[in-house]
Amino acid sequence: MRWGLFILALLVVYIAQTAALPLFAPSWVDMLLILALVYGLTAAPTEARLAGWIIGFAQDVGSLGPLGLHALALGLATCGLTYLREAVNRELWWVRGLAAFVVAWPAQLLVLLHMRFLQNAPLSTLRILFDSFATAATAALIAGLLVGLPSVWRRRRRHALSPRW
C-alpha cells in the first residue's frame, strides 16, 4: 500500500469531514468511515486493518470522546471486513456494500452505545438504532460504489477503443 497516498487521502477526508461537511451534509454522513471501508475492501489485510485503526485514531483526536473509541470500532470493522471480503463476490457493488454494512453497523452501534451509557449522552434507543443504521448504510453504499469505479472506467475505455462492425 502506498502510505503517502493514504496519509494524503486521510488529511483531505479529515479536513472535509470536520470543516466542510457539517455545513451542508446530514450528521449521519461519515467520510472517515467511508475511507476505512474503502481501504478494508481494497488493501491487503494487514495494511487494511492498520489503516482502519489509524483512521479511527484520527477521528478520536478530533472528537470530544475518549481516545481510542473510534480507533477500536473502525479497527474491528476493517478487521472483520478483511475476513468477510474473502467469502463474498467482490465484483458486484451491492455485495461489497452489504459486506461493508455488516461490519459498519456494529461499529457505529458500539460508538453510540458507548456515548449513551458511558458518556451520558442524551440518546434514545430509537435514535441510536436509526443513526447507526443510517450512517452504516450510507457509508457502505458509497464505499461499495467507490471501489467499483475503476473497473467501470476501464470497461468504458476498452469499449471506446474497440472497432465497430
Side-chain angles (χ1 to χ4, degrees):
M1 185 165 87
R2 297 180 182 153
W3 288 102
L5 185 62
F6 168 73
I7 297 298
L8 180 65
L10 179 60
L11 284 173
V12 168
V13 168
Y14 184 80
I15 290 170
Q17 176 78 30
T18 57
L21 215 56
L23 300 176
F24 63 87
S27 63
W28 37 267
V29 175
D30 188 356
M31 290 179 61
L32 290 167
L33 177 61
I34 294 168
L35 184 65
L37 292 176
V38 166
Y39 273 99
L41 286 168
T42 59
T46 306
E47 294 169 342
R49 295 169 190 155
L50 184 59
W53 184 84
I54 291 170
I55 293 167
F57 188 74
Q59 193 169 10
D60 282 332
V61 168
S63 72
L64 297 175
L67 191 63
L69 176 62
H70 288 95
L72 174 68
L74 292 183
L76 288 175
T78 54
C79 182
L81 188 56
T82 58
Y83 286 114
L84 187 59
R85 74 182 185 186
E86 301 303 323
V88 299
N89 181 5
R90 288 185 284 173
E91 299 301 317
L92 300 171
W93 69 269
W94 64 270
V95 175
R96 288 189 303 262
L98 184 61
F101 175 76
V102 165
V103 297
W105 196 15
Q108 290 300 308
L109 274 173
L110 173 70
V111 170
L112 290 178
L113 288 172
H114 186 278
M115 288 174 61
R116 166 66 180 98
F117 292 110
L118 295 175
Q119 297 176 15
N120 296 323
L123 298 171
S124 67
T125 304
L126 187 60
R127 181 161 178 214
I128 290 171
L129 290 175
F130 174 75
D131 285 354
S132 63
F133 182 86
T135 302
T138 303
L141 176 67
I142 293 171
L145 291 173
L146 281 176
V147 170
L149 280 179
S151 66
V152 170
W153 285 331
R154 269 185 267 133
R155 193 175 318 137
R156 282 194 181 179
R157 191 177 325 127
R158 188 176 338 128
H159 290 303
L161 296 176
S162 65
R164 303 239 175 183
W165 294 95

